[in-house]
Amino acid sequence: KANYFSKFSKAPVICRLVGRKVLDGVGQPTLEVEIYCTVKNYEKRICSTVMSSHSQIPENALCETTEADEKERNDAVNTAVEWVNESLNTMLRDLKPTDQCKVDKMLGEYFTKKAEEKKEIQKQEEEEEAAATLALTSSTPSATALPGKKKAAKPGKKVAAAERMIPPAEPVEAVLCGSSAIGGTSLAIAKAGATISHIPLYLHIALLKCNQDSPKEITLPLPMVTLLNCEKFSPAKLKLVKEVMLIPPVQLSRKQGIERVLDIQKEMMRLLEPPGKAPQVLKRMSHLGCLIMECDNLEQPLLLMQTACNNIGLELGTDIYLAINCAAHELMDYVKGKYEILTGTFKSPDEMVDMYVELINKFPFIIALIDPLRKEVR
């Protein structure tokens, strides 16, 4: 009887959001959002979600740069926790966790309001700074320029400078401090809606897109798994390749694809292990769990990958494919206006394109190049 009447009970509603600061898989502070709902007149914890974070600060960065990044990250997480526990907790109370569209609309409006407040504060600070600069300039006597003719620059130098002109790097897009609270809360509520509806999260999200009509089929993206990390700041010569990724063929299931990647990883670890020495895997693993390899030329990691696949009976281009993350924006020498692909070897954008064409013709199992050129010159 209790089960019969339960279907007539009020639908679960959000009663509490809890935000807290936690550490992610690499020890960096990040945001966790926990959802509590009122279910049959009782408060019940439904789910929680942790926002993934990543660090773009290289391992050999200056202490000042690392400290500034850590402070910025901590400030952002602390602000996000404050938003979740205060404003968002009050704003989303008594809403149904299955009403994702309404929740996201309210979150979007809240974010817009915070962004406008930030712009207003920045505008006031700029006006105050300009006023202070003007007052300082007016109180300081200007230096009198000595008469004399300016030396005209040589025409040859002007032409040379013009030839070296390259598009400058785009400024880093500012991220609103605390904005991870918006994405974290939206994801947590989506997960809560899926839990209450007793369906997988991916299907719950698909139903939101398909207006509650169950899709006949769902296409998932192919996984890309980073296997090799070619450290650009190592003593080795190769700088062009940052990561080598494996892409399983489309006919494999997700589980089969990951198992195949793990088989290749085991063989790669065996090949990279110095003969006759005890395993020292931890010294050759990045903080993200990728094998680190120092290379002297572009073909070295690809040939090693080919050897590993051949040893376990796999064929590159049929049983597994490769993608290369070039991260070309990290290679630019702004003085020379060229990319330093190897230590002391520089190439122009046109030469880079020719090199990529030659590389793919030689290794046709490479089906993706990530960031092959700076976006400013594409």
Side-chain angles (χ1 to χ4, degrees), residues 85-372:
N85 290 331
E86 296 178 8
S87 304
L88 301 184
N89 182 38
T90 304
M91 184 176 72
L92 301 179
R93 190 174 297 152
D94 296 330
L95 290 179
K96 295 179 182 178
T98 52
D99 197 352
Q100 188 73 35
C101 294
K102 185 175 182 179
V103 168
D104 285 344
K105 182 180 178 182
M106 295 175 70
L107 290 173
E109 292 172 351
Y110 180 82
F111 175 81
T112 301
K113 177 184 174 183
K114 286 292 184 180
E116 290 174 352
E117 290 176 358
K118 178 67 175 178
K119 287 181 180 178
E120 189 63 30
I121 293 172
Q122 288 178 339
K123 183 179 178 181
Q124 291 178 0
E125 290 176 350
E126 290 172 0
E127 290 175 352
E128 292 173 359
E129 185 178 349
T133 304
L134 181 62
L136 181 63
T137 305
S138 60
S139 62
T140 304
S142 58
T144 305
L146 295 175
K149 294 183 178 180
K150 293 183 179 179
K151 291 184 179 180
K154 294 182 180 180
K157 290 186 177 180
K158 283 187 177 180
V159 174
E163 289 176 352
R164 288 196 299 268
M165 286 294 292
I166 57 173
E170 291 185 0
V172 178
E173 185 177 354
V175 178
L176 182 63
C177 183
S179 58
S180 60
I182 305 300
T185 301
S186 177
L187 178 59
I189 289 178
K191 192 174 178 181
T195 302
I196 288 172
S197 302
H198 304 290
I199 58 175
L201 178 58
Y202 74 88
L203 183 57
H204 176 67
I205 295 174
L207 291 174
L208 293 173
K209 182 179 179 181
C210 299
N211 298 321
Q212 304 304 319
D213 294 330
S214 182
K216 295 180 180 179
E217 61 179 22
I218 296 177
T219 303
L220 297 177
L222 289 172
M224 297 176 66
V225 183
T226 302
L227 183 61
L228 278 182
N229 187 315
C230 300
E231 183 56 61
K232 295 188 176 187
F233 301 100
S234 67
K237 293 181 179 179
L238 181 63
K239 295 179 179 292
L240 177 63
V241 178
K242 184 173 184 177
E243 295 174 318
V244 179
M245 304 176 178
L246 295 176
I247 305 176
V250 67
Q251 64 268 22
L252 294 184
S253 67
R254 186 59 54 94
K255 181 180 179 181
Q256 291 172 330
I258 297 301
E259 288 175 348
R260 182 164 294 182
V261 168
L262 290 174
D263 291 338
I264 298 173
Q265 183 192 42
K266 290 177 183 177
E267 181 60 21
M268 287 289 294
M269 292 175 67
R270 190 188 68 80
L271 292 174
L272 291 173
E273 197 64 56
K277 292 186 178 181
Q280 297 179 345
V281 175
L282 292 178
K283 292 185 178 181
R284 296 184 286 104
M285 301 292 283
S286 73
H287 68 287
L288 295 177
C290 308
L291 293 169
I292 294 178
M293 181 179 179
E294 297 179 357
C295 304
D296 293 326
N297 58 69
L298 184 55
E299 296 182 358
Q300 188 177 350
L302 302 177
L303 292 174
L304 181 65
M305 193 79 73
Q306 202 168 29
T307 301
C309 290
N310 291 338
N311 289 350
I312 59 176
L314 298 177
E315 182 181 353
L316 279 170
T318 303
D319 301 314
I320 201 79
Y321 299 89
L322 295 188
I324 295 178
N325 179 11
C326 305
H329 61 281
E330 299 178 5
L331 307 176
M332 176 56 68
D333 186 313
Y334 286 91
V335 176
K336 293 182 172 61
K338 293 184 177 182
Y339 299 92
E340 187 178 14
I341 63 166
L342 298 169
T343 302
T345 302
F346 299 87
K347 289 188 179 293
S348 67
D350 290 338
E351 291 171 334
M352 292 285 284
V353 172
D354 294 337
M355 181 192 64
Y356 288 135
V357 171
E358 182 180 349
L359 178 69
I360 293 175
N361 288 336
K362 188 171 184 178
F363 300 100
F365 46 77
I366 300 173
I367 61 172
L369 293 174
I370 302 172
D371 289 339

Side-chain angles (χ1 to χ4, degrees), residues 67-86:
E67 289 174 1
D69 178 69
E70 289 177 354
K71 183 181 183 304
E72 183 179 351
R73 185 188 300 274
N74 274 290
D75 290 344
V77 174
N78 291 335
T79 303
V81 170
E82 181 182 332
W83 287 10
V84 172
N85 290 331
E86 296 178 8

